[in-house]
Amino acid sequence: MAWTREDMAKRAALELIDGYYVNLGIGIPTLVANFIPDGVDVTLQSENGMLGMGPFPIEGEADPDLINAGKQTITELKRTSYFSSADSFGMIRGGHIDLSILGAMQVSEKGDLANWMIPGKMVKGMGGAMDLVAGVKKVVVIMDHNARDGSAKFIKECTLPLTGVRVVDMIISDVGVFTINDDGATLIELAPDMTVDDAKARTEATFKIGELLL
Amino acid sequence: MSKVYKGAEAALDGILFDGMTIMAGGFGLCGIPENLIAALRDSGKTEITAISNNAGVDDFGLGLLLQTRQIKKMISSYVGENKEFERQYLNDELELEFNPQGTMAERIRAGGAGIPGFYTKTGVGTLVAEGKEHKDFDGETFILETGLKADVSLVKAWKGDKEGNLIFKKTARNFNPMMATAGKTTVAEVEELVEVGELDPDHIHTPGIFVQRIIVSQGLEKRIEQLTTRPKSKGGA
């Protein structure tokens, strides 16, 4: 059985380490905050200028001056600090954030990421994604393993405009978990009832099979 | 010479012209100078180059100036909230320069700080790097980005005093402090204008030297783009 969006978010939460400063992207990555393991204390950064992001506000208490990078109303915590966009990206570009979890349209077997533009179709912009993948120490992608038409998203070379070159360290998809480093990509975990052959059939990228799956 | 003006129209008088470059603070609709944007629209000035992280939504924020076709070019990082923007761009009616958000923030900071250019690793190997100087430092490749300045910067703060010292509130700060430094003329609108001496000097985010004109916001809407809440009874995000 393939992993659901929540399963992927739960798996991604296992990458959180006590004391980490973490930036969560919009969409499935935001769900990761719901599955932070007990005993693990992480501080969430929001690139619009906040460290120490709290939960959504209680009904009736939303503050228009307090939003996250997805423009959702949120709350502050005791540890919260606010700062400008320049300081925020100083943190990001300067390598002070430990982990970034974001979505993808395509990932190449070398770790190239495309997630911001479909030429002639989608004109939204990269927002902070290029800065995040360039500066954050570890980059984890959560994505559906295949596009809606069934085509592979984990491929040899990205065909869409890139967000960053050799920036992705890990992919968590409905199929399983892949790591990517200088030696290439490796399948290290499979979702329940998924087989290595399933993973191969749904992937264009070349990958090795991790020890635990052999 | 007093920096305090009666309203947005008076505060923009004499500094606007066709073909000008403006900066407008805000992230989404959070921390945008609502009164000043409305007054800029009402001025009827056209061929504007607008530097702002986003383009507002169709009927609010900078979206107001897109509706009236006053903007010729936008420099932004993300415009996904504005359908009219997308339509104008895909029809070649609008020029667009996408900057990575951190690069944009730093370009504005640099512009205001007298730094004409800087090297960053953001965007190396992407469309953003095309045509830009590349340089290696310690075995890693960086690209040259230039500082940004504006004829007029429009910013929004929470509190200000009559010298133009500003304090921002929560995430409404975003691009406002850097933009205040990068405008030839910077106009600030504040929710509360106090006498000089009432703000704690240690708490001032933007020193008054960067602000030439200041007004008190009237009838702020402070629209929320994505109202997300949790029920009173339960915990969790």
Side-chain angles (χ1 to χ4, degrees):
Chain A
M1 204 177 70
W3 276 335
T4 62
R5 292 164 55 118
E6 298 219 319
D7 293 331
M8 290 189 260
K10 265 183 211 168
R11 176 59 189 82
L14 298 180
E15 299 303 312
L16 302 172
I17 291 175
D18 194 38
Y20 260 16
Y21 291 97
V22 179
N23 184 292
L24 300 177
I26 296 163
I28 310 178
T30 305
L31 298 177
V32 175
N34 298 336
F35 302 109
I36 299 171
D38 288 341
V40 173
D41 181 35
V42 298
T43 302
L44 300 179
Q45 199 250 18
S46 190
E47 67 265 25
N48 53 320
M50 178 184 199
L51 200 55
M53 192 167 39
F56 295 138
I58 289 167
E59 276 169 36
E61 293 182 7
D63 179 351
D65 289 326
L66 183 44
I67 63 170
N68 64 18
K71 285 123 186 167
Q72 296 171 308
T73 47
I74 44 159
T75 56
E76 64 183 25
L77 304 169
K78 281 184 182 165
R79 72 179 66 172
T80 295
S81 57
Y82 299 108
F83 33 83
S84 72
S85 300
D87 284 341
S88 180
F89 283 93
M91 273 172 216
I92 290 167
R93 199 189 306 102
H96 305 281
I97 306 288
D98 298 291
L99 176 65
S100 169
I101 303 178
L102 33 73
M105 299 193 286
Q106 292 179 335
V107 179
S108 84
E109 60 192 36
K110 296 185 203 76
D112 298 349
L113 171 68
N115 76 348
W116 74 281
M117 187 191 191
I118 301 173
K121 274 194 192 153
M122 191 183 86
V123 190
K124 291 185 188 298
M126 70 289 279
M130 285 192 183
D131 309 279
L132 282 160
V133 300
V136 174
K137 290 176 196 160
K138 180 172 179 176
V139 174
V140 173
V141 160
I142 300 183
M143 67 176 190
D144 293 327
H145 200 77
N146 299 88
R148 281 196 195 121
D149 66 2
S151 62
K153 294 173 67 176
F154 185 25
I155 53 188
K156 290 192 184 305
E157 293 282 350
C158 293
T159 55
L160 294 169
L162 295 180
T163 308
V165 176
R166 292 183 178 237
V167 291
V168 177
D169 297 293
M170 175 178 276
I171 300 171
I172 298 169
S173 77
D174 44 297
V175 166
V177 182
F178 298 82
T179 57
I180 304 175
N181 57 33
D182 291 342
D183 299 327
T186 307
L187 174 66
I188 61 164
E189 282 175 49
L190 282 166
D193 302 329
M194 279 284 167
T195 65
V196 169
D197 286 339
D198 292 333
K200 281 184 176 164
R202 291 177 55 184
T203 306
E204 184 203 292
T206 305
F207 59 87
K208 297 191 277 278
I209 312 301
E211 283 173 24
L212 292 175
L213 300 174
L214 290 174
Chain B
M1 197 177 85
S2 174
K3 294 183 178 182
V4 181
Y5 285 71
K6 277 232 152 53
E9 190 188 343
L12 295 183
D13 188 46
I15 54 173
L16 303 180
F17 55 93
D18 291 340
M20 71 186 303
T21 297
I22 65 136
M23 290 184 185
F27 183 95
L29 301 179
C30 179
I32 61 171
E34 292 184 23
N35 286 194
L36 293 168
I37 289 171
L40 178 60
R41 178 199 54 193
D42 294 344
S43 77
K45 293 291 182 282
T46 59
E47 300 283 297
I48 293 168
T49 295
I51 302 169
S52 188
N53 189 53
N54 313 96
V57 293
D58 283 334
D59 64 340
F60 200 54
L62 286 182
L64 295 174
L65 281 87
L66 287 167
Q67 277 184 354
T68 51
R69 305 298 185 92
Q70 285 166 274
I71 296 181
K72 180 185 71 171
K73 179 180 178 180
M74 288 264 349
I75 301 178
S76 303
S77 87
Y78 188 83
V79 297
E81 259 57 81
N82 194 315
K83 290 265 177 298
E84 174 62 13
F85 187 108
E86 196 158 351
R87 193 199 65 71
Q88 287 186 23
Y89 175 70
L90 290 173
N91 286 309
D92 285 330
E93 296 168 17
L94 183 71
E95 289 174 52
L96 171 62
E97 179 186 321
F98 274 133
N99 282 194
Q101 198 173 130
T103 295
M104 187 169 147
E106 193 64 15
R107 290 184 73 191
I108 298 165
R109 198 191 71 80
I115 298 171
F118 60 92
Y119 292 97
T120 177
K121 59 185 169 184
T122 299
V124 171
T126 75
L127 289 177
V128 162
E130 284 181 6
K132 288 175 184 162
E133 184 197 324
H134 287 56
K135 186 166 174 156
D136 286 4
F137 294 87
D138 294 330
E140 203 177 348
T141 303
F142 295 76
I143 52 174
L144 178 67
E145 295 281 0
T146 54
L148 281 173
K149 292 187 212 179
D151 296 304
V152 171
S153 282
L154 308 177
V155 304
K156 160 73 179 22
W158 175 39
K159 286 185 183 178
D161 70 16
K162 292 179 173 178
E163 285 290 323
N165 294 306
L166 304 178
I167 295 177
F168 303 96
K169 194 176 162 202
K170 302 181 192 279
T171 56
R173 189 181 321 185
N174 54 64
F175 282 82
N176 284 297
M178 294 82 73
M179 288 184 172
T181 70
K184 236 176 261 170
T185 305
T186 291
V187 187
E189 66 172 270
V190 299
E191 291 178 47
E192 199 181 327
L193 183 66
V194 301
E195 291 299 327
V196 173
E198 286 185 38
L199 300 179
D200 182 336
D202 267 333
H203 291 173
I204 289 167
H205 296 131
T206 290
I209 190 171
F210 296 119
V211 176
Q212 282 71 47
R213 301 182 178 196
I214 190 165
I215 62 163
V216 179
S217 296
Q218 303 290 336
L220 281 186
E221 182 179 337
K222 285 201 173 186
R223 195 185 293 187
I224 292 174
E225 269 179 84
Q226 306 279 344
L227 179 64
T228 42
T229 57
R230 62 194 149 111
K232 225 167 210 165
S233 49
K234 277 192 337 192

